[in-house]
Amino acid sequence: MIVGHARRWFGLGALALSMLALGFDMTILNVALTTLSEELHASTSALQWIVDSYLLVFGALLLPAGLLGDRFGRKRLLVAGLAVFGAASLAGAFADGSGGVIAARAFMGLGAAIVMPLSMSMLPAIFPPQERTRAVAVWSSAMALGLPLGPLLGGWLLENFRWGSIFLVNVPVVLVGGVAVALLLPETRDPSVPRVDGAGSLLSMAGIVALVYGVIEAPARGWGDTVVLLSFALAAVLLTGFVLWERRAAAPMMDMALFRDPGFTWAMVAAVTANLMMAGALFVLPQYLEAVQGNDVFGTGLRLTPMLLGLLAGGIVTDRLAHRSGHKPILVTGLLVLAGGFGWGALAGPDDGYSATVPWLLVLGLGCGLTIVPAMDAVLAALPADRAGRGSGLVQTLRQTAGTLGVAGLGSLLSAFYRDRVSTGGLPAEAADGARDSIGGAVAVAGRLGDAGLLASARGAYVDGMNAVFAACGAAALATALLLWLFQPGRAREGAAPAADARQSDHEHVVP
């Protein structure tokens, strides 16, 4: 059901506000870990679980959340997800120990797993095809805005208020967003959707938990560690079992037929690749801007905004061109621009100032906007209207798992270069271990000892690692661009493909 013009844009604003809260929640915690360690007397293990409990629950529940939305109503579950996220944020803000914060973060992951796919699945229901690209750009940009906003907001809150404010700030945002969603958006569901497949749900959730756990542990334990290898082996067995079960199920929770549509498949490849690379870049860049270029937390977040400006520009270009050129040329161009941005960034030196960094940050953001926005638009166009929730859950599961893999894999590559090249000769054993552990540790040790040589070595080693990460990302972007050029269907075949734009399922039920 396409709702009135003003109402649908105000509704999009409500969805964007919800995504903004999820976006800055993903990065705001990064600046608060030291404070949490001091205030809650949290161990390193507890701090890791404060971060990881969210990721494990979030990744595991994205796929079944989409199916539940199709069955019971997407708006209803979206509002419920926002309520869970807000209540968990409130509980986390007033927790009196690390155990309470870990539990709150797990429930925040539950709320986010409901909100993300269902907010995406609402877009085809309220926007006609000619406006959907712009809506996708706004929806994507809202979450992207939250990523650099997290450190900015977190730094300001921690300087002026108690540590719980980093969770408490979510509450008014999701409250306003939830009320607006409830009042402005229509309810959609598919009454014919199958009941939740218990066996399939358990296989998918357990498999994703095993995979994400292995990815999280790999950088710390090593990729050859027994626990990590067992996690990956278990994930492979469980996820293979899930796919085989779904292929035999009379009413599968994951629509395997979607992958027979090359328009969907290759757009999904582009979105997943871009998400993986940008997640890795957003892990690497804050440390470069802070520890190498010497900015504070607030200044670091502020200096990431050129990427957002580039992403917004990419969204505007996509909105203007997609209906005339189709998705393929924009996707290929976006990946080539991403490759150029990563290649430019790979030439950075430890003595570069911020003025030398701004241009390639803009190019990275532009390439991201020219890739993710048309990719998500193409994916939404290929999803049958009655299965928008399930399809969106699948899309977000693949994207977020790729992001986790990007942080872990590219972070390990960065760490390997850094540890190999930082010079710690002549330092006490404890100081040497701290300097080798991270660039932040090296800066702290160098400051404490007044060792300018260690600081220069650590900064050079970190930039070498960052350049290797960017070179790998650039090569991946080039390879993906080539694959899409060869196999992504052009405009004519896109128009002929079955899509949500061309039909509304007989089973789809809309409640105004």
Side-chain angles (χ1 to χ4, degrees):
M1 175 184 180
I2 307 301
V3 300
H5 185 273
R7 187 178 173 187
R8 65 175 173 262
W9 287 105
F10 280 119
L12 177 63
L15 294 177
L17 190 62
S18 305
M19 296 307 297
L20 179 66
L22 264 60
F24 64 64
D25 184 71
M26 288 183 174
T27 55
I28 198 170
L29 196 62
N30 294 344
V31 302
L33 292 178
T34 301
T35 303
L36 291 176
S37 176
E38 295 171 354
E39 296 289 337
L40 299 176
H41 306 290
S43 64
T44 301
S45 175
L47 291 176
Q48 184 175 3
W49 276 107
I50 288 173
V51 175
D52 295 347
S53 58
Y54 178 98
L55 294 174
L56 288 171
V57 175
F58 179 60
L61 295 178
L62 281 167
L63 192 57
L67 174 61
L68 290 171
D70 284 345
R71 181 172 179 81
F72 296 109
R74 295 165 194 138
K75 183 176 81 169
R76 179 181 301 172
L77 246 68
L78 177 56
V79 172
L82 288 169
V84 170
F85 187 83
S89 298
L90 187 63
F94 294 102
D96 58 2
S98 57
V101 176
I102 291 169
R105 289 285 294 169
F107 278 96
M108 289 170 70
L110 168 61
I114 297 170
V115 170
M116 184 171 285
L118 295 183
S119 64
M120 175 182 166
S121 70
M122 294 294 293
L123 298 180
I126 60 176
F127 286 95
Q130 64 270 22
E131 293 181 349
R132 190 191 54 235
T133 305
R134 187 174 304 171
V136 170
V138 172
W139 183 86
S140 301
S141 299
M143 188 162 191
L145 173 63
L147 297 176
L149 183 62
L152 283 172
L153 185 61
W156 181 79
L157 289 172
L158 291 172
E159 286 179 4
N160 294 280
F161 304 98
R162 68 183 292 272
W163 64 267
S165 60
I166 64 168
F167 298 128
L168 196 60
V169 70
N170 293 332
V171 177
V173 177
V174 298
L175 181 62
V176 173
V179 170
V181 166
L183 296 177
L184 295 170
L185 298 182
E187 180 62 281
T188 60
R189 65 173 70 92
D190 177 15
S192 68
V193 76
R195 293 182 179 274
V196 176
D197 178 2
S201 297
L202 288 174
L203 284 169
S204 69
M205 289 189 290
I208 291 172
V209 165
L211 175 61
V212 172
Y213 181 78
V215 168
I216 289 170
E217 290 294 314
R221 293 175 177 265
W223 291 88
D225 180 79
T226 302
V227 172
V228 173
L229 294 176
L230 286 175
S231 295
F232 287 146
L234 181 60
V237 170
L238 291 169
L239 293 176
T240 300
F242 170 65
V243 171
L244 293 175
W245 177 269
E246 290 293 290
R247 293 181 65 182
R248 297 177 58 186
M253 63 181 293
M254 184 173 74
D255 190 357
M256 302 299 292
L258 287 172
F259 293 101
R260 292 198 290 269
D261 177 1
F264 174 88
T265 300
W266 289 105
M268 192 69 256
V269 168
V272 167
T273 301
N275 217 62
L276 186 153
M277 292 186 294
M278 293 310 296
L282 286 170
F283 174 77
V284 170
L285 281 168
Q287 297 176 81
Y288 171 69
L289 293 170
E290 186 170 352
V292 177
Q293 292 196 351
N295 300 294
D296 59 17
V297 173
F298 185 85
T300 295
L302 193 63
R303 284 165 176 77
L304 285 171
T305 53
M307 287 185 67
L308 173 65
L309 296 177
L311 189 147
L312 291 173
I316 292 170
V317 170
T318 300
D319 179 52
R320 300 288 175 85
L321 297 181
H323 296 296
R324 287 180 285 179
S325 65
H327 297 110
K328 178 176 179 175
I330 302 175
L331 283 169
V332 172
T333 301
L335 287 162
L336 292 176
V337 172
L338 259 183
F342 279 120
W344 195 348
L347 301 176
D351 297 322
D352 286 356
Y354 182 64
S355 60
T357 307
V358 170
W360 54 263
L361 287 179
L362 283 166
V363 174
L364 281 178
L366 179 62
C368 187
L370 289 172
T371 304
I372 289 181
V373 174
M376 299 309 295
D377 190 36
V379 164
L380 282 173
L383 290 178
D386 58 327
R387 286 169 281 174
R390 279 174 285 172
S392 298
L394 172 62
V395 169
Q396 296 303 334
T397 298
L398 294 174
R399 285 187 65 201
Q400 300 309 316
T401 303
T404 305
L405 284 167
V407 170
L410 295 175
S412 292
L413 176 62
L414 171 70
S415 180
F417 268 81
Y418 174 78
R419 287 173 178 268
D420 184 60
R421 302 193 179 200
V422 65
S423 176
T424 58
L427 293 177
E430 184 178 350
D433 289 342
R436 280 194 299 268
D437 186 54
S438 68
I439 178 68
V443 171
V445 170
R448 188 168 64 250
L449 300 179
D451 191 336
L454 171 61
L455 182 61
S457 173
R459 286 175 169 171
Y462 187 87
V463 171
D464 287 344
M466 183 182 76
N467 291 346
V469 167
F470 284 176
C473 289
L478 277 175
T480 307
L482 177 61
L483 290 173
L484 261 70
W485 179 256
L486 293 174
F487 301 114
Q488 172 80 357
R491 181 178 176 83
R493 288 184 64 193
E494 280 182 356
D501 299 345
R503 67 202 186 282
Q504 180 80 10
S505 168
D506 293 338
H507 300 299
E508 182 74 359
H509 181 58
V510 181
V511 181

